[in-house]
């Protein structure tokens, strides 16, 4: 089971593509077809409803293969969405590479004439006042090297001035480079075709790339590709969750799918552990037991009867008291994994309780979240498979900064994996970093991290996954896709709660 592919520099990408495609125009066109069609299908699956009926689309097409990818994608989008009105801004035909020209004729021959307008890319300024539902940009991608030519610069400036509900780049936004540039196409989403390039992940390019979606077209299917072993930087594969779709044996028992123990919740943060538990029970666990402050347990049992709720003594602040330890310890022999921290608070008694649980539960696989991510707790979490799920503020309790180097060093220091949540979640194990780019600002709200911790805990029980890092990769991917499904349903990223995202965990596979 392969969960990730390497991220390559543009130079490595060119060399790798040449090793696969050689000088064959046919192979190159087949790759272009696959990339463009996958781009269109992925875009429509995430944003088709948002674009509405009979959308107006502007295609910005360059002369090279990136323009060909865009043309194939536009032809496919026209098939997927009826009534579409298309404008294509493109260089003169004699400037197009042969495969790009082939893709253009294919688009033109399959399109209703009255709904297709072709303009020269140099005339883009003339339509700046128009509004489009979608702009699909395929001007340069990794072929671009500074300095920028006048025509390209003018096209990007004009494109950035044209209003659209959604702006999408093919592979890399036009003008983006490995050094900061003054003129770059500003996309809402970028679809990395075949290979995810390092250019997309520089901090100075993040405002231009928008959401990053990786499209696998089989370049890394061979076990002989030279980058699997020498790279430390990876991106999650689109098919990382395929193992969850396999039918379970008909003669199954709940005990065969793991028993997750959740420890968390408080009077101050009563909702976090409910989100944990609801995500975990939908993440494939056979059993979920949640240890929460006593006053919360009866109401929680009524709200989510699929979970076993165990009421525990609480301290004067309403957090779990140290005297809960005996009650939890007596049940530890039934646990397959632990998820600790959501809604816990930094209460001294709760912190001491968690340390005692960890000392008594060696070597149970464990997820630590939120207030359980503290140096004194990590010191007690030794000799086990361990995954941390912090946001950046929580991570700074145990690390000097949030850089890649600090992430790797922190994982080495504590002998753990870490899923560091952000717009791009980085999952590391001290050796490698895997970037999870699925999701959207739907997740920029309280409670989304509690879903991740719950899913991670459930996946730590899954025998198909070999490590805590694998669980973090799959949980991050699952959460991101579920958030995308929630957006698709609402056609907006505003009128949603984190609890709404849980409803889409089943459709996030």
């Amino acid at each position: 089971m392969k969960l990730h592919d390497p991220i390559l520099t543009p130079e490595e990408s060119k060399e790798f593509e040449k090793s696969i495609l050689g000088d064959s125009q046919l192979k190159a066109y087949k790759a272009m077809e696959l990339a463009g069609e996958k781009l269109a299908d992925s875009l429509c699956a995430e944003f088709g409803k948002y674009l509405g009926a009979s959308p107006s689309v502007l295609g910005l097409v360059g002369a090279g293969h990136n323009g060909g990818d865009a043309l194939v994608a536009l032809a496919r989008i026209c098939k997927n969405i009826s009534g579409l009105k298309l404008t294509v801004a493109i260089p003169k035909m004699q400037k197009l590479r042969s495969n790009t020209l082939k893709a253009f004729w294919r688009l033109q021959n399959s399109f209703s004439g009255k709904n297709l307008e072709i303009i020269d890319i140099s005339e883009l300024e003339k339509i700046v006042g128009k509004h489009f539902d979608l702009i699909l940009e395929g001007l340069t991608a990794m072929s671009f090297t500074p300095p920028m030519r006048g025509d390209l610069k003018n096209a990007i400036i004009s494109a950035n001035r044209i209003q659209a509900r959604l702006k999408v780049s093919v592979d890399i936004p036009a003008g983006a480079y490995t050094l900061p540039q003054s003129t770059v196409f500003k996309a809402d989403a970028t679809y990395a075709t075949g290979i995810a390039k390092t250019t997309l992940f520089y901090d100075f390019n993040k405002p231009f790339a928008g959401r990053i979606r990786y499209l696998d077209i089989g370049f890394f299917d061979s076990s002989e590709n030279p980058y699997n072993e020498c790279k430390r930087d990876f991106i999650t594969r689109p098919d990382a969750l395929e193992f969850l779709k396999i039918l379970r044996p008909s003669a199954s028992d709940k005990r065969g799918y793991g028993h997750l123990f959740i420890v968390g919740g408080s009077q101050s943060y009563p909702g976090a552990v409910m989100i944990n538990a609801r995500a975990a029970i939908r993440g494939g666990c056979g059993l979920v037991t949640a240890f929460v402050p006593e006053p919360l347990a009866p109401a929680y049992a009524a709200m989510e009867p699929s979970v076993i709720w165990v009421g525990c003594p609480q301290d004067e602040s309403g957090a779990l008291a140290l005297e809960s330890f005996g009650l939890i310890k007596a049940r530890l022999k039934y646990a397959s994994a632990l998820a600790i921290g959501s809604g816990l608070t930094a209460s001294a008694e709760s912190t001491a309780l968690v340390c005692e649980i960890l000392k008594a539960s060696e070597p149970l696989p464990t997820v630590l979240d939120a207030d359980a991510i503290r140096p004194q707790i990590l010191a007690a979490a030794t000799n086990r498979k361990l995954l941390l799920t912090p946001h950046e503020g929580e991570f700074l309790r145990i690390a000097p900064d949030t850089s890649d180097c600090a992430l790797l060093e922190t994982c080495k220091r504590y002998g753990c994996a870490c899923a560091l949540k952000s717009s791009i979640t980085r999952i590391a194990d001290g050796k490698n970093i895997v970037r999870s780019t699925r999701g959207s600002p739907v997740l920029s709200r309280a409670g989304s991290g509690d879903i991740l911790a719950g899913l991670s805990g459930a996946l730590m029980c899954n025998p198909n996954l070999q490590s805590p890092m694998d669980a973090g990769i799959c949980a991050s991917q699952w959460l991101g896709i579920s958030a995308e499904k929630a957006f698709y349903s609402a056609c907006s990223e505003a009128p949603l709660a984190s609890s709404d995202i849980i409803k889409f965990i089943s459709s996030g596979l």
Side-chain angles (χ1 to χ4, degrees), residues 443-493:
L443 295 171
S444 300
R445 45 180 36 91
S448 61
D450 302 317
I451 303 175
L452 180 66
L455 286 174
S456 297
L459 290 169
M460 291 283 268
C461 297
N462 193 302
N464 292 296
L465 299 178
Q466 302 301 310
S467 69
M469 187 174 185
D470 288 352
I473 292 167
C474 292
S476 300
Q477 181 87 339
W478 203 348
L479 174 61
I481 296 174
S482 301
E484 293 167 22
K485 299 291 185 181
F487 160 75
Y488 186 87
S489 175
C491 275
S492 172
E493 292 168 339

CSV table of all heavy atoms in Angstrom, one decimal, residues 443-493:
chain,number,residue,atom,x,y,z
A,443,LEU,N,-12.2,24.1,7.2
A,443,LEU,CA,-11.6,23.5,8.4
A,443,LEU,C,-11.1,24.6,9.3
A,443,LEU,O,-10.6,24.3,10.4
A,443,LEU,CB,-10.5,22.6,8.0
A,443,LEU,CG,-10.9,21.3,7.2
A,443,LEU,CD1,-9.6,20.6,6.7
A,443,LEU,CD2,-11.7,20.4,8.1
A,444,SER,N,-11.2,25.9,8.9
A,444,SER,CA,-10.7,27.0,9.7
A,444,SER,C,-11.7,27.4,10.7
A,444,SER,O,-12.3,28.5,10.8
A,444,SER,CB,-10.3,28.2,8.8
A,444,SER,OG,-9.3,27.8,7.9
A,445,ARG,N,-12.1,26.4,11.6
A,445,ARG,CA,-13.0,26.7,12.7
A,445,ARG,C,-12.8,25.7,13.8
A,445,ARG,O,-12.2,24.6,13.6
A,445,ARG,CB,-14.5,26.6,12.1
A,445,ARG,CG,-14.7,25.3,11.3
A,445,ARG,CD,-16.1,25.2,10.7
A,445,ARG,NE,-16.8,26.4,10.4
A,445,ARG,CZ,-16.8,27.0,9.2
A,445,ARG,NH1,-16.1,26.4,8.2
A,445,ARG,NH2,-17.5,28.0,8.9
A,446,ALA,N,-13.2,26.1,15.0
A,446,ALA,CA,-13.0,25.2,16.2
A,446,ALA,C,-13.7,23.9,16.0
A,446,ALA,O,-14.8,23.8,15.5
A,446,ALA,CB,-13.6,25.9,17.4
A,447,GLY,N,-13.0,22.9,16.4
A,447,GLY,CA,-13.5,21.5,16.3
A,447,GLY,C,-13.0,20.6,15.2
A,447,GLY,O,-13.0,19.4,15.3
A,448,SER,N,-12.4,21.2,14.2
A,448,SER,CA,-11.9,20.4,13.1
A,448,SER,C,-10.7,19.6,13.5
A,448,SER,O,-10.6,18.4,13.1
A,448,SER,CB,-11.5,21.3,11.9
A,448,SER,OG,-10.5,22.2,12.2
A,449,GLY,N,-9.9,20.1,14.4
A,449,GLY,CA,-8.8,19.3,14.9
A,449,GLY,C,-9.2,18.1,15.8
A,449,GLY,O,-8.6,17.1,15.9
A,450,ASP,N,-10.4,18.3,16.4
A,450,ASP,CA,-10.9,17.2,17.2
A,450,ASP,C,-11.4,16.0,16.3
A,450,ASP,O,-11.3,14.9,16.7
A,450,ASP,CB,-12.1,17.7,18.1
A,450,ASP,CG,-11.7,18.8,19.0
A,450,ASP,OD1,-10.6,18.7,19.6
A,450,ASP,OD2,-12.4,19.8,19.2
A,451,ILE,N,-11.9,16.4,15.1
A,451,ILE,CA,-12.2,15.3,14.2
A,451,ILE,C,-10.9,14.6,13.8
A,451,ILE,O,-10.9,13.3,13.7
A,451,ILE,CB,-12.9,15.9,12.9
A,451,ILE,CG1,-14.1,16.7,13.3
A,451,ILE,CG2,-13.2,14.8,11.9
A,451,ILE,CD1,-14.8,17.4,12.1
A,452,LEU,N,-9.9,15.3,13.5
A,452,LEU,CA,-8.6,14.7,13.1
A,452,LEU,C,-8.1,13.8,14.2
A,452,LEU,O,-7.7,12.6,13.9
A,452,LEU,CB,-7.6,15.8,12.8
A,452,LEU,CG,-6.2,15.2,12.4
A,452,LEU,CD1,-6.3,14.5,11.0
A,452,LEU,CD2,-5.2,16.4,12.3
A,453,ALA,N,-8.2,14.2,15.4
A,453,ALA,CA,-7.7,13.3,16.5
A,453,ALA,C,-8.5,12.1,16.6
A,453,ALA,O,-8.0,11.0,16.8
A,453,ALA,CB,-7.7,14.1,17.8
A,454,GLY,N,-9.8,12.2,16.5
A,454,GLY,CA,-10.7,11.0,16.5
A,454,GLY,C,-10.4,10.0,15.4
A,454,GLY,O,-10.3,8.8,15.6
A,455,LEU,N,-10.3,10.6,14.2
A,455,LEU,CA,-10.0,9.7,13.0
A,455,LEU,C,-8.6,9.1,13.2
A,455,LEU,O,-8.4,7.9,12.9
A,455,LEU,CB,-10.0,10.5,11.7
A,455,LEU,CG,-11.4,10.9,11.2
A,455,LEU,CD1,-11.3,11.8,10.0
A,455,LEU,CD2,-12.2,9.7,10.8
A,456,SER,N,-7.7,9.8,13.7
A,456,SER,CA,-6.3,9.3,13.9
A,456,SER,C,-6.3,8.1,14.9
A,456,SER,O,-5.7,7.1,14.7
A,456,SER,CB,-5.4,10.4,14.4
A,456,SER,OG,-5.2,11.4,13.4
A,457,GLY,N,-7.1,8.3,16.0
A,457,GLY,CA,-7.2,7.3,17.0
A,457,GLY,C,-7.8,6.0,16.4
A,457,GLY,O,-7.3,4.9,16.6
A,458,ALA,N,-8.9,6.2,15.6
A,458,ALA,CA,-9.5,5.0,14.9
A,458,ALA,C,-8.5,4.3,14.0
A,458,ALA,O,-8.4,3.1,14.0
A,458,ALA,CB,-10.7,5.4,14.2
A,459,LEU,N,-7.7,5.1,13.2
A,459,LEU,CA,-6.8,4.5,12.3
A,459,LEU,C,-5.6,3.9,13.0
A,459,LEU,O,-4.9,3.0,12.4
A,459,LEU,CB,-6.4,5.5,11.3
A,459,LEU,CG,-7.5,6.0,10.3
A,459,LEU,CD1,-7.1,7.2,9.5
A,459,LEU,CD2,-7.8,4.8,9.3
A,460,MET,N,-5.3,4.3,14.2
A,460,MET,CA,-4.2,3.7,14.9
A,460,MET,C,-4.6,2.2,15.3
A,460,MET,O,-3.7,1.4,15.6
A,460,MET,CB,-3.9,4.5,16.2
A,460,MET,CG,-3.2,5.8,15.9
A,460,MET,SD,-1.5,5.7,15.5
A,460,MET,CE,-0.7,5.9,17.1
A,461,CYS,N,-5.9,1.9,15.3
A,461,CYS,CA,-6.4,0.6,15.5
A,461,CYS,C,-6.4,-0.3,14.3
A,461,CYS,O,-6.6,-1.5,14.3
A,461,CYS,CB,-7.8,0.6,16.1
A,461,CYS,SG,-7.9,1.4,17.7
A,462,ASN,N,-6.2,0.3,13.1
A,462,ASN,CA,-6.3,-0.4,11.8
A,462,ASN,C,-5.1,-1.2,11.5
A,462,ASN,O,-4.0,-0.6,11.3
A,462,ASN,CB,-6.6,0.6,10.7
A,462,ASN,CG,-7.1,0.0,9.5
A,462,ASN,OD1,-6.5,-0.9,8.9
A,462,ASN,ND2,-8.3,0.4,9.0
A,463,PRO,N,-5.2,-2.5,11.3
A,463,PRO,CA,-4.1,-3.3,11.1
A,463,PRO,C,-3.4,-3.1,9.7
A,463,PRO,O,-2.3,-3.6,9.5
A,463,PRO,CB,-4.6,-4.8,11.2
A,463,PRO,CG,-6.1,-4.6,10.9
A,463,PRO,CD,-6.5,-3.3,11.4
A,464,ASN,N,-4.1,-2.4,8.8
A,464,ASN,CA,-3.6,-2.2,7.4
A,464,ASN,C,-2.5,-1.1,7.5
A,464,ASN,O,-1.7,-1.0,6.5
A,464,ASN,CB,-4.7,-1.8,6.5
A,464,ASN,CG,-5.6,-2.9,6.2
A,464,ASN,OD1,-5.2,-3.9,5.6
A,464,ASN,ND2,-6.9,-2.7,6.6
A,465,LEU,N,-2.4,-0.3,8.5
A,465,LEU,CA,-1.5,0.8,8.6
A,465,LEU,C,-0.3,0.4,9.5
A,465,LEU,O,-0.5,-0.2,10.6
A,465,LEU,CB,-2.1,2.0,9.2
A,465,LEU,CG,-3.3,2.6,8.3
A,465,LEU,CD1,-4.0,3.8,8.9
A,465,LEU,CD2,-2.8,2.9,6.9
A,466,GLN,N,0.9,0.7,9.0
A,466,GLN,CA,2.1,0.2,9.7
A,466,GLN,C,2.7,1.1,10.7
A,466,GLN,O,3.5,0.6,11.6
A,466,GLN,CB,3.2,-0.1,8.6
A,466,GLN,CG,2.8,-1.1,7.5
A,466,GLN,CD,2.4,-2.4,8.1
A,466,GLN,OE1,3.1,-3.0,8.8
A,466,GLN,NE2,1.2,-2.9,7.7
A,467,SER,N,2.3,2.3,10.7
A,467,SER,CA,3.0,3.3,11.6
A,467,SER,C,2.0,4.4,12.0
A,467,SER,O,1.0,4.7,11.4
A,467,SER,CB,4.2,3.9,10.9
A,467,SER,OG,3.8,4.7,9.8
A,468,PRO,N,2.4,5.2,13.1
A,468,PRO,CA,1.6,6.4,13.4
A,468,PRO,C,1.6,7.4,12.3
A,468,PRO,O,0.6,8.1,12.1
A,468,PRO,CB,2.4,6.9,14.7
A,468,PRO,CG,3.0,5.7,15.3
A,468,PRO,CD,3.4,4.9,14.1
A,469,MET,N,2.7,7.5,11.6
A,469,MET,CA,2.8,8.4,10.4
A,469,MET,C,1.7,8.0,9.4
A,469,MET,O,1.0,8.9,8.9
A,469,MET,CB,4.1,8.4,9.8
A,469,MET,CG,4.3,9.5,8.8
A,469,MET,SD,6.0,9.6,8.2
A,469,MET,CE,5.9,11.1,7.1
A,470,ASP,N,1.6,6.7,9.1
A,470,ASP,CA,0.5,6.3,8.2
A,470,ASP,C,-0.8,6.7,8.7
A,470,ASP,O,-1.7,7.2,7.9
A,470,ASP,CB,0.6,4.8,8.0
A,470,ASP,CG,1.8,4.3,7.2
A,470,ASP,OD1,2.5,5.1,6.7
A,470,ASP,OD2,2.0,3.0,7.2
A,471,ALA,N,-1.1,6.6,10.0
A,471,ALA,CA,-2.4,7.0,10.5
A,471,ALA,C,-2.6,8.5,10.3
A,471,ALA,O,-3.7,8.9,10.0
A,471,ALA,CB,-2.5,6.6,12.0
A,472,GLY,N,-1.6,9.3,10.6
A,472,GLY,CA,-1.7,10.7,10.4
A,472,GLY,C,-1.9,11.1,9.0
A,472,GLY,O,-2.7,12.0,8.7
A,473,ILE,N,-1.3,10.4,8.0
A,473,ILE,CA,-1.4,10.7,6.6
A,473,ILE,C,-2.9,10.5,6.2
A,473,ILE,O,-3.5,11.3,5.6
A,473,ILE,CB,-0.5,9.9,5.8
A,473,ILE,CG1,1.0,10.3,6.0
A,473,ILE,CG2,-0.8,10.0,4.3
A,473,ILE,CD1,2.0,9.3,5.4
A,474,CYS,N,-3.4,9.3,6.6
A,474,CYS,CA,-4.7,8.9,6.1
A,474,CYS,C,-5.8,9.7,6.8
A,474,CYS,O,-6.8,10.1,6.2
A,474,CYS,CB,-4.9,7.4,6.4
A,474,CYS,SG,-3.9,6.3,5.3
A,475,ALA,N,-5.6,10.0,8.1
A,475,ALA,CA,-6.6,10.8,8.8
A,475,ALA,C,-6.7,12.2,8.3
A,475,ALA,O,-7.8,12.8,8.1
A,475,ALA,CB,-6.3,10.9,10.3
A,476,SER,N,-5.5,12.8,7.9
A,476,SER,CA,-5.5,14.2,7.3
A,476,SER,C,-6.2,14.2,6.0
A,476,SER,O,-6.9,15.1,5.7
A,476,SER,CB,-4.1,14.7,7.2
A,476,SER,OG,-3.4,14.7,8.5
A,477,GLN,N,-5.9,13.2,5.2
A,477,GLN,CA,-6.5,13.1,3.9
A,477,GLN,C,-8.0,12.9,4.0
A,477,GLN,O,-8.8,13.5,3.3
A,477,GLN,CB,-6.0,11.8,3.1
A,477,GLN,CG,-6.5,11.6,1.7
A,477,GLN,CD,-5.8,12.4,0.7
A,477,GLN,OE1,-5.1,13.4,0.9
A,477,GLN,NE2,-5.9,12.0,-0.6
A,478,TRP,N,-8.5,12.0,4.9
A,478,TRP,CA,-9.9,11.8,5.1
A,478,TRP,C,-10.6,13.0,5.6
A,478,TRP,O,-11.7,13.3,5.1
A,478,TRP,CB,-10.0,10.6,6.2
A,478,TRP,CG,-11.3,9.9,6.1
A,478,TRP,CD1,-12.4,10.2,5.4
A,478,TRP,CD2,-11.6,8.6,6.8
A,478,TRP,NE1,-13.4,9.2,5.6
A,478,TRP,CE2,-12.9,8.3,6.4
A,478,TRP,CE3,-10.8,7.8,7.6
A,478,TRP,CZ2,-13.5,7.1,7.0
A,478,TRP,CZ3,-11.4,6.6,8.1
A,478,TRP,CH2,-12.7,6.3,7.8
A,479,LEU,N,-10.0,13.7,6.5
A,479,LEU,CA,-10.6,15.0,7.0
A,479,LEU,C,-10.7,16.0,5.9
A,479,LEU,O,-11.8,16.6,5.8
A,479,LEU,CB,-9.8,15.5,8.2
A,479,LEU,CG,-10.2,16.9,8.7
A,479,LEU,CD1,-11.7,16.9,9.2
A,479,LEU,CD2,-9.3,17.4,9.8
A,480,GLY,N,-9.7,16.1,5.1
A,480,GLY,CA,-9.7,17.1,4.1
A,480,GLY,C,-10.7,16.9,3.0
A,480,GLY,O,-11.5,17.8,2.6
A,481,ILE,N,-10.9,15.6,2.6
A,481,ILE,CA,-11.9,15.3,1.6
A,481,ILE,C,-13.3,15.4,2.2
A,481,ILE,O,-14.2,15.9,1.5
A,481,ILE,CB,-11.7,13.8,1.1
A,481,ILE,CG1,-10.3,13.8,0.3
A,481,ILE,CG2,-12.8,13.4,0.1
A,481,ILE,CD1,-9.9,12.4,-0.1
A,482,SER,N,-13.5,15.1,3.4
A,482,SER,CA,-14.8,15.3,4.1
A,482,SER,C,-15.2,16.7,4.1
A,482,SER,O,-16.3,17.1,3.9
A,482,SER,CB,-14.8,14.7,5.5
A,482,SER,OG,-14.4,13.3,5.5
A,483,ALA,N,-14.2,17.6,4.4
A,483,ALA,CA,-14.5,19.0,4.4
A,483,ALA,C,-14.8,19.5,3.0
A,483,ALA,O,-15.7,20.4,2.8
A,483,ALA,CB,-13.2,19.8,4.9
A,484,GLU,N,-14.2,19.0,1.9
A,484,GLU,CA,-14.5,19.3,0.6
A,484,GLU,C,-16.0,18.9,0.2
A,484,GLU,O,-16.7,19.6,-0.5
A,484,GLU,CB,-13.6,18.7,-0.4
A,484,GLU,CG,-12.1,19.2,-0.3
A,484,GLU,CD,-11.1,18.3,-1.1
A,484,GLU,OE1,-11.6,17.6,-2.0
A,484,GLU,OE2,-9.9,18.4,-0.7
A,485,LYS,N,-16.4,17.7,0.7
A,485,LYS,CA,-17.7,17.3,0.5
A,485,LYS,C,-18.7,18.2,1.2
A,485,LYS,O,-19.8,18.4,0.7
A,485,LYS,CB,-17.9,15.8,1.0
A,485,LYS,CG,-17.0,14.8,0.3
A,485,LYS,CD,-17.4,14.6,-1.2
A,485,LYS,CE,-16.6,13.5,-1.8
A,485,LYS,NZ,-16.9,13.2,-3.2
A,486,ALA,N,-18.4,18.6,2.4
A,486,ALA,CA,-19.3,19.5,3.1
A,486,ALA,C,-19.4,20.9,2.4
A,486,ALA,O,-20.5,21.4,2.3
A,486,ALA,CB,-18.7,19.8,4.5
A,487,PHE,N,-18.3,21.4,1.8
A,487,PHE,CA,-18.4,22.6,1.0
A,487,PHE,C,-19.3,22.4,-0.2
A,487,PHE,O,-20.1,23.2,-0.6
A,487,PHE,CB,-17.0,23.0,0.5
A,487,PHE,CG,-17.0,23.9,-0.7
A,487,PHE,CD1,-17.3,25.2,-0.5
A,487,PHE,CD2,-16.6,23.4,-1.9
A,487,PHE,CE1,-17.3,26.1,-1.6
A,487,PHE,CE2,-16.6,24.2,-3.0
A,487,PHE,CZ,-16.9,25.6,-2.9
A,488,TYR,N,-19.1,21.2,-0.9
A,488,TYR,CA,-19.9,20.9,-2.1
A,488,TYR,C,-21.4,20.9,-1.8
A,488,TYR,O,-22.2,21.5,-2.5
A,488,TYR,CB,-19.5,19.6,-2.7
A,488,TYR,CG,-20.2,19.3,-4.0
A,488,TYR,CD1,-19.6,19.7,-5.2
A,488,TYR,CD2,-21.3,18.6,-4.1
A,488,TYR,CE1,-20.2,19.4,-6.4
A,488,TYR,CE2,-22.0,18.3,-5.3
A,488,TYR,CZ,-21.4,18.7,-6.5
A,488,TYR,OH,-22.0,18.4,-7.7
A,489,SER,N,-21.7,20.4,-0.6
A,489,SER,CA,-23.1,20.3,-0.2
A,489,SER,C,-23.7,21.7,0.0
A,489,SER,O,-24.8,22.0,-0.3
A,489,SER,CB,-23.3,19.4,1.0
A,489,SER,OG,-24.6,19.5,1.5
A,490,ALA,N,-22.9,22.6,0.7
A,490,ALA,CA,-23.4,23.9,1.1
A,490,ALA,C,-23.2,25.0,0.1
A,490,ALA,O,-23.8,26.0,0.1
A,490,ALA,CB,-22.7,24.3,2.4
A,491,CYS,N,-22.3,24.7,-0.9
A,491,CYS,CA,-21.9,25.7,-1.9
A,491,CYS,C,-21.3,27.0,-1.2
A,491,CYS,O,-21.4,28.1,-1.8
A,491,CYS,CB,-23.0,26.1,-2.8
A,491,CYS,SG,-23.2,24.9,-4.2
A,492,SER,N,-20.8,26.8,-0.1
A,492,SER,CA,-20.2,27.9,0.7
A,492,SER,C,-19.3,27.4,1.8
A,492,SER,O,-19.5,26.3,2.3
A,492,SER,CB,-21.3,28.8,1.3
A,492,SER,OG,-20.7,29.8,2.1
A,493,GLU,N,-18.3,28.1,2.2
A,493,GLU,CA,-17.4,27.7,3.3
A,493,GLU,C,-17.8,28.4,4.6
A,493,GLU,O,-17.2,28.2,5.6
A,493,GLU,CB,-16.0,28.0,2.9
A,493,GLU,CG,-15.5,27.1,1.8
A,493,GLU,CD,-14.1,27.6,1.2
A,493,GLU,OE1,-13.8,28.7,1.4
A,493,GLU,OE2,-13.5,26.7,0.6
